Each structure stands twice: as C-alpha cells, then as structure tokens.
Amino acid sequence: MENKIKSARINKKLKLKDVAHSLNIDSSLISKFESGTRTPTREQVIKLAHLLEIDAHDLLIDWLSGQVVDQIGYGNFALEVLSVAEDKVRYYKKSELKSIDDLTKILEEIDVLKQKLNQYRNLDSYKITEALELEYTFESNRIEGNTLTLKETDLVVNEGITISGKSMREHLEAINHKEAIIYLKELIDKDSDFSEKDLLLLHSLILKGIEPKYAGKYRDVQVMISGSKHLPPQPFIVKKQMEDLFFWYEANKNHLHPVVLAAELSERLVTIHPFLDGNGRTSRLIMNLILLKNGYVIANIKGDFENRIKYYQSLENAQVANKKEDFHLFIAQEELNAIKRYCDILGI
C-alpha cells in the first residue's frame, strides 16, 4: 500500500506537506505512511484515495490485508487461520448462490429495459414525472402510517388544500416529502455525490415543522423500533457508524451495481437509525438518489399491508440475520416493476 501512496503522490507532483495539509496531519506522518513504518487509519486511507486519485476499493483491500497480517502474523498458524476463514466464507457464499443468481437475472432485465427506455426519453414529460413523484410521496408516507389518500396527497402538495379530519403532521409529511424530492433532483442536476451534508439537509426537510429540534441532527437518545427484533446502536456510537457508512460508500460506489448499491446504502442507513424520526423516508430518498443519479427510475415501495410486510421482513433479515440478499432482491424487484411500468406508460 505504501508504494501506491508514494507513487501516486509523486505522479500528482504533490509534496508531503500538501498531502499532510489536506489530511490535517503532520508531514512526518505521511512520510511514515509511505515508508511503511506507520499505518493510516481507515478514514485516512479513504482521504488519501480521494486526494491521490487511487481506487479506494483496491487501497482498502491492501490496508485490510495488512491489518489481518498484523493480527495473525506469519507462519503455519497464520495459514491455518486463513484456511479456516476461507472455508467459512465459501460456506456462506455457497448458501447465497441461488439468491445471487436470481438477483443477477433481475439486474440484467432491469439494464435491458433501462437501455430501451433511454432510447425513448424524448417521449417523457413533466406530467409523467410529476405523477410518479406524487405516487412516491404518497406510498413512502403510507409505509410510515400516513392516512392521506393519493388524491388527498395531490390536493395538499399541489393545490394547498387542507383535508378535513387529517392531522397537521400528515399534511406536513406530504409537503415536506415533495420538497425533499425537489432538493434530491437539484443534487442530481448538479451531479453532486452523496454526502453527509446532503443527507442531513434531506432529513431536515422531512421533519421541517414536525420535529424542528431533531430535524437534520443525529439522535442523542436510544430508540427501539416497534415490532422489530433489531436494536439500533447506542447514540454515542451513531456518529462513528455514520462515518463508517460514508467510508463504505466511497469504497464501493464504483464497484457495485447501482441497484445493489442503492439497496445496501438504504439498508445500512436505516439499520443505524441515526435520527429520532424520519429514518425510513430518508433512507428511501437516498436509495432513489443513487438510482436516479445512475439513470434508473424511482423504486416506489408500495405502502399497502402486503408490500409493507415484505419490505420490513426483508429489512429485518438483513439487520438481524445478516441475510442482505433478501433485501437486495426485494429492492431489485421493486426497481424492475417500476421500470416496466415506466416503459408501459411511454408505450414502448
């Protein structure tokens, strides 16, 4: 790893002090990284990859392999440990093969339809986009218990009409979600990447006027998820887990299929449950940010009882049993359904 760092720095004609300034550390530490006498932290590895334009995935593999060697050393004992670890990985990998095959087929079908859709984008219109985004707002809120109908959601967000018998919170949830979609599309138009700043702003829009004290802020109390076996992390480690989430994204964003990346990012975010409220809506917005950025369409998970149960069950399988393939399959199927419908609307 140290050779990659030094070569990349020299190729970019950067001095040690330039790199040190960007990482906010001492120049001598960069020198030690390059000589192999000191090992950077995971955060520093990601920052170095960005600064020096090294593939973060490859650099992290080098870094992690070094961590493993530091732990188990060399010789026959180390080889035995690696052999057992490899057997375990192969065992779990084998059990996932069928799901992986199913997922691969769905992803291939999605990409064929996406290619087809791209050829007919000129048939698209603002009215189609507006209608589908309205449905997304309606369904995403319905998952969380909002009782506004699709028509009532339309009247609230597009006509400014107050619905008798519905709470102020339900009205604000509809209005806020539409504003969050507008901001999400601005990020896409600017070709902005997913960042912590954008995440917090999206969340602040979701809770605007509902929970202003907690809008756009990580929770400072412990929470439980009603009806779930998953227990979110303690509040004092939320910030660190969110840092890890962004490190993971940077390392994997160019290596995973966009649909899998979107699903995994959404699952990881909602598993951390970093906010006191609005985690579900925010995680689905981030999922669709990734999908739209990569030319796909909004994956609109339906809020009816049957689909909501499937959604929560696949999510809990990922959170409690670490069966992430169930959730990836669920999201991929939702994206396939969405892109098929889009093609049907355009008559292609």
Side-chain angles (χ1 to χ4, degrees):
M1 182 181 71
E2 51 269 19
N3 291 334
K4 287 184 179 180
I5 294 173
K6 185 173 183 178
S7 297
R9 178 181 64 79
I10 293 172
N11 288 338
K12 289 186 68 67
K13 298 180 180 178
L14 292 174
K15 295 180 180 179
L16 288 172
K17 65 178 182 180
D18 298 327
V19 179
H21 178 72
S22 296
L23 269 67
N24 196 28
I25 58 178
D26 191 82
S27 298
S28 62
L29 200 53
I30 300 297
S31 180
K32 290 177 180 177
F33 291 166
E34 292 185 353
S35 66
T37 56
R38 282 288 296 272
T39 303
T41 65
R42 180 166 50 175
E43 180 180 1
Q44 289 166 342
V45 170
I46 295 294
K47 288 182 178 179
L48 283 166
H50 274 299
L51 177 65
L52 302 176
E53 297 182 358
I54 306 171
D55 189 293
H57 181 267
D58 291 344
L59 201 61
L60 275 172
I61 288 177
D62 278 355
W63 179 79
L64 283 168
S65 65
Q67 300 295 301
V68 171
V69 171
D70 286 344
Q71 288 293 318
I72 65 175
Y74 301 91
N76 290 334
F77 176 74
L79 292 175
E80 289 175 20
V81 171
L82 291 173
S83 177
V84 171
E86 184 178 10
D87 287 343
K88 289 182 177 180
V89 170
R90 290 185 185 278
Y91 172 78
Y92 289 114
K93 192 72 175 175
K94 186 177 180 180
S95 66
E96 295 175 6
L97 284 179
K98 187 181 185 304
S99 294
I100 292 172
D101 286 344
D102 292 341
L103 178 61
T104 300
K105 290 175 183 176
I106 293 176
L107 294 177
E108 288 173 352
E109 189 173 356
I110 288 171
D111 286 338
V112 168
L113 288 173
K114 175 176 174 280
Q115 197 170 29
K116 180 181 178 182
L117 182 61
N118 288 340
Q119 297 173 3
Y120 293 90
R121 285 288 189 181
N122 61 308
L123 299 178
D124 207 344
S125 71
Y126 170 74
K127 286 294 185 182
I128 294 174
T129 301
E130 184 181 50
L132 292 176
E133 289 174 1
L134 177 71
E135 288 183 6
Y136 173 41
T137 290
F138 162 65
E139 297 289 2
S140 191
N141 281 335
R142 184 158 69 134
I143 289 173
E144 307 301 332
N146 190 298
T147 64
L148 289 173
T149 65
L150 178 60
K151 183 58 182 176
E152 287 170 345
T153 302
D154 180 33
L155 292 173
V156 170
V157 302
N158 293 321
E159 304 295 335
I161 293 175
T162 301
I163 308 300
S164 177
K166 303 295 182 179
S167 69
M168 179 57 68
R169 180 184 178 112
E170 290 181 305
H171 286 76
L172 288 174
E173 285 176 347
I175 294 167
N176 290 355
H177 197 274
K178 181 180 180 180
E179 290 187 12
I181 292 176
I182 291 171
Y183 177 66
L184 184 146
K185 291 167 69 177
E186 289 175 357
L187 291 177
I188 295 167
D189 289 341
K190 292 188 295 186
D191 197 26
S192 298
D193 210 345
F194 170 56
S195 70
E196 184 176 40
K197 176 185 175 183
D198 299 324
L199 169 67
L200 295 177
L201 186 47
L202 273 172
H203 181 259
S204 70
L205 290 172
I206 288 295
L207 286 193
K208 187 172 70 172
I210 299 174
E211 293 279 1
K213 180 181 177 182
Y214 296 103
K217 297 176 182 177
Y218 295 142
R219 59 182 168 86
D220 56 2
V221 296
Q222 180 59 11
V223 294
M224 291 185 68
I225 304 171
S226 180
S228 174
K229 296 177 183 177
H230 170 63
L231 181 64
Q234 294 288 330
F236 64 87
I237 60 173
V238 165
K239 179 65 176 176
K240 176 62 170 62
Q241 291 205 356
M242 289 304 296
E243 289 176 359
D244 290 345
L245 174 70
F246 286 101
F247 294 154
W248 176 88
Y249 171 70
E250 290 297 333
N252 290 276
K253 65 181 181 180
N254 297 321
H255 298 276
L256 293 176
H257 188 284
V259 174
V260 175
L261 177 67
E264 181 74 8
L265 193 56
S266 175
E267 181 269 311
R268 284 174 179 255
L269 179 60
V270 81
T271 296
I272 297 170
H273 218 78
F275 307 110
L276 190 66
D277 193 10
N279 292 280
R281 294 178 181 90
T282 304
S283 69
R284 291 188 290 276
L285 281 165
I286 294 302
M287 175 182 75
N288 281 306
L289 170 64
I290 301 301
L291 290 172
L292 292 172
K293 273 175 59 67
N294 287 279
Y296 295 87
V297 302
I298 288 174
N300 188 11
I301 302 167
K302 303 298 184 290
D304 61 277
F305 179 77
E306 183 180 352
N307 276 283
R308 191 166 69 248
I309 291 299
K310 288 180 181 177
Y311 172 56
Y312 284 143
Q313 186 60 61
S314 64
L315 189 55
E316 187 160 292
N317 286 345
Q319 294 171 331
V320 178
N322 201 33
K323 294 181 179 178
K324 292 176 178 284
E325 62 273 15
D326 291 350
F327 190 69
H328 296 169
L329 269 172
F330 178 83
I331 297 302
Q333 187 61 58
E334 290 298 313
E335 176 62 18
L336 179 59
N337 294 340
I339 204 164
K340 279 182 176 179
R341 185 178 179 220
Y342 215 113
C343 288
D344 288 342
I345 291 170
L346 296 180
I348 58 176

